[in-house]
Amino acid sequence: FLAGARLGKSNGGKPEKVPDGDETPIFHRNTLQTGQLVAGPAVVLEPSATTFVAPGWVLNLDELGNLALEKRH
């Protein structure tokens, strides 16, 4: 799903500190658009779950509304 796609920008919340001291963008799932990519590190929040996107991984919101994670090469 990465071919020709552009990474999205954080559109929910401000960067927060994580335990290792890096700033991590926070996204709210209901503001993500279909096909939007989120590069790790990042956090996606929703009422019933929190998804952490690790460094070196990319999250995609697919056309069915699923969050799909893929390791970057």
Side-chain angles (χ1 to χ4, degrees), residues 35-58:
Q36 182 173 352
L37 301 179
V38 176
V43 174
V44 178
L45 301 175
E46 59 184 302
S48 61
T50 300
T51 303
F52 176 69
V53 184
W57 287 76
V58 176

Side-chain angles (χ1 to χ4, degrees), residues 1 5-12 27-39 44-45 58-68:
F1 67 82
R6 284 196 239 150
L7 296 176
K9 292 184 178 181
S10 174
N11 54 11
F27 294 82
H28 294 275
R29 184 175 177 162
N30 65 348
T31 64
L32 297 176
Q33 301 295 314
T34 299
Q36 182 173 352
L37 301 179
V38 176
V44 178
L45 301 175
V58 176
L59 176 139
N60 177 41
L61 179 66
D62 72 15
E63 59 278 346
L64 298 175
N66 300 303
L67 298 178

